[in-house]
Amino acid sequence: MSETQTTKDDAENNDTDASTDINIDCTLVTQAATTDIRDILSRPRDIHTRISERTMPMPGFDDTFVDIVDYILRITHWIWHDKEVELCSRYYSQGCVLHTMVGDIVGCDTVVENTVKTLEAFSDRILDGENVVWSRDGSNNDMSYYSSHLITSRMTNDGDSEWGPATKIRATRIRTIADCVCRDNKIVEEWLMRDNAFLVETLGFSVEVVAKSQAKADFERGWSLVEFLEPERNRVKKNRKDVYPLCDPIRVCGTDGAADANTTSFAQVLLGYLWQTPYDSSSSRLGVSVFYDTRVTAHLPHGRDVYGTLELTEFLSMYKMGLSEIAISVDHVACIPYLWEENSAPRENGAVDLAVRWTMTAKHTGDSDLLGPASGAPVYLLAGSHWRIVRGTRIREEWTVWDEIALLRQVESYRLTHP
């Protein structure tokens, strides 16, 4: 991938001529982390009017969208803030699939139904886009974009929900990462990771009680979450890579959203050291010290915020306690510049935002403060991480999201079938 990405879409045929090489200058693309949504929403909404030069080719997308970041931020705002739920039918494909840790949501009609149900329980729910890290996937003849949308939500529980009766409590700072494949103006596939544990706890419910209740309901209807996730666990184990000897820090550099070999290696080696080494080992601590700034701030599942490499290491030790046979699969990586400008300083010294969708499988074979007494349960995580990397080598801030209730639900489901 060349380091200079140079296309402004000032020619109409840039959207339709897929036979030419396509280069995109990231510094021209909407930067969600540093742009107020009010500035983005001020753009005219007429879907048939090209409002300005596009910063990337977008064949099949409504003319109003400047780039994929603009598309993701504005349709999210229209659907959730403006409550225009019917737009799901315009911006999700008929055969779309949304993956979660507890099952797949198939078809835009189901997306509409779930959105309506959520708003019935949380009528004022908003989704603020903290960042959108993107990449261009596929070939020039199959123009797809991948977006990793980091979201912070605020919502008041004014209706009954899947967690329990209405509590009238306002929940804030609920994080979600939604990774989407977008093509021809539609989201065709999505991976949804939400911090349900922090939401449930904020509403005043017990995370453990909710997980047990859901596991019992699964058991009574003859459905097993553990069995449902078996194909995914097998895939992760097949994709597992060994932890390599750790030498010099691996330098990453954002170009046009795509991950080069160094960027992918950064994610694979880092996650391998953090998770595939024993919870109390020096290797895990070494991985933290090499890949993280000593002042790192990490925003983690269940609303946990930790500061510094010591607290991050303690979090990892707590989470890995009682787990064995841990395997990690890095499933998608995207990387964009953070606070770069055209003709800025050498890029190897710049900050970048790196988004990784990853999955983990393990066995709960030991006692754990989180999962309780050893159960023997096979467990699976679907996770998303956004890392802000400074000077190309160390993580200064991290946002990681997964559904901790779904993790506990797996263990409780296994206990019911293996008493």
Side-chain angles (χ1 to χ4, degrees), residues 12 15 41 43-52 54 58-66 70-71 74-75 78 84 86-87 89-91 184-186:
E12 193 67 25
D15 269 7
L41 294 172
R43 299 164 179 165
R45 183 170 166 177
D46 184 354
I47 62 175
H48 301 299
T49 301
R50 181 69 61 83
I51 59 174
S52 64
R54 278 184 162 164
M58 297 188 69
F61 285 81
D62 289 342
D63 287 335
T64 187
F65 299 120
V66 176
D70 180 43
Y71 169 84
R74 285 208 278 165
I75 68 171
W78 296 339
E84 298 182 49
E86 70 278 2
L87 289 179
S89 297
R90 180 174 185 83
Y91 295 117
D184 293 328
N185 210 43
K186 307 281 189 183

Side-chain angles (χ1 to χ4, degrees), residues 101 207-208 211-212 275 304 318-324 326 360 362-381 402-412 415:
M101 278 180 64
V207 170
E208 292 76 14
K212 289 180 180 180
W275 291 99
R304 301 175 180 94
M318 178 275 296
Y319 231 93
K320 291 192 293 182
M321 182 185 298
L323 296 180
S324 62
I326 298 177
M360 181 182 83
K363 281 192 174 181
H364 177 218
T365 54
D367 295 345
S368 164
D369 293 341
L370 176 69
L371 301 177
S375 66
V379 295
Y380 166 86
L381 275 183
W402 61 69
D403 184 352
E404 191 171 285
I405 289 182
L407 177 64
L408 294 169
R409 182 173 168 183
Q410 293 170 61
V411 173
E412 296 305 325
R415 291 190 198 279

Side-chain angles (χ1 to χ4, degrees), residues 23 75 90 97 106 116-118 167 202 219 237 247 266 272 282 287 317 321 326 354 373:
N23 294 314
I75 68 171
R90 180 174 185 83
V97 180
V106 181
V116 170
K117 287 180 181 178
T118 300
T167 64
T202 303
F219 180 75
K237 286 185 277 191
C247 301
F266 183 97
S282 60
S317 296
M321 182 185 298
I326 298 177
L354 179 63

Side-chain angles (χ1 to χ4, degrees), residues 388-418:
R388 182 153 294 152
I389 301 171
V390 294
R391 303 191 69 82
T393 59
R394 286 190 171 86
I395 298 169
R396 184 65 175 82
E397 191 163 8
E398 171 176 352
W399 299 259
T400 288
V401 179
W402 61 69
D403 184 352
E404 191 171 285
I405 289 182
L407 177 64
L408 294 169
R409 182 173 168 183
Q410 293 170 61
V411 173
E412 296 305 325
S413 295
Y414 193 83
R415 291 190 198 279
L416 290 173
T417 56
H418 297 76

Side-chain angles (χ1 to χ4, degrees), residues 59-228:
F61 285 81
D62 289 342
D63 287 335
T64 187
F65 299 120
V66 176
D67 49 49
I68 193 61
V69 179
D70 180 43
Y71 169 84
I72 290 293
L73 291 175
R74 285 208 278 165
I75 68 171
T76 301
H77 191 95
W78 296 339
I79 292 169
W80 288 99
H81 292 237
D82 296 342
K83 314 305 179 191
E84 298 182 49
V85 179
E86 70 278 2
L87 289 179
C88 292
S89 297
R90 180 174 185 83
Y91 295 117
Y92 281 85
S93 69
Q94 283 295 324
C96 66
V97 180
L98 277 68
H99 306 283
T100 76
M101 278 180 64
V102 296
D104 291 341
I105 299 166
V106 181
C108 71
D109 291 342
T110 311
V111 172
V112 171
E113 291 172 8
N114 284 5
T115 304
V116 170
K117 287 180 181 178
T118 300
L119 289 174
E120 287 173 348
F122 304 92
S123 61
D124 63 351
R125 186 184 187 212
I126 61 170
L127 280 70
D128 288 334
E130 299 278 3
N131 207 356
V132 179
V133 181
W134 58 273
S135 63
R136 184 176 70 84
D137 292 1
S139 65
N140 290 354
N141 294 318
D142 178 22
M143 183 66 71
S144 299
Y145 286 98
Y146 190 101
S147 64
S148 185
H149 190 187
L150 175 63
I151 299 164
T152 298
S153 292
R154 184 186 71 242
M155 64 194 93
T156 304
N157 182 209
D158 46 15
D160 295 348
S161 72
E162 62 181 300
W163 315 117
T167 64
K168 308 301 181 182
I169 293 174
R170 175 187 287 178
T172 60
R173 202 169 51 83
I174 307 302
R175 290 198 175 87
T176 301
I177 293 179
D179 281 21
C180 296
V181 176
C182 310
R183 184 185 310 121
D184 293 328
N185 210 43
K186 307 281 189 183
I187 295 171
V188 299
E189 192 168 12
E190 181 172 340
W191 292 262
L192 188 61
M193 297 144 281
R194 185 171 60 221
D195 191 355
N196 286 328
F198 189 48
L199 171 60
V200 165
E201 183 178 86
T202 303
L203 295 181
F205 300 118
S206 163
V207 170
E208 292 76 14
V209 169
V210 168
K212 289 180 180 180
S213 175
Q214 291 182 336
K216 182 180 178 182
D218 293 340
F219 180 75
E220 290 175 347
R221 67 186 177 102
W223 185 79
S224 169
L225 179 57
V226 174
E227 290 181 6
F228 170 79

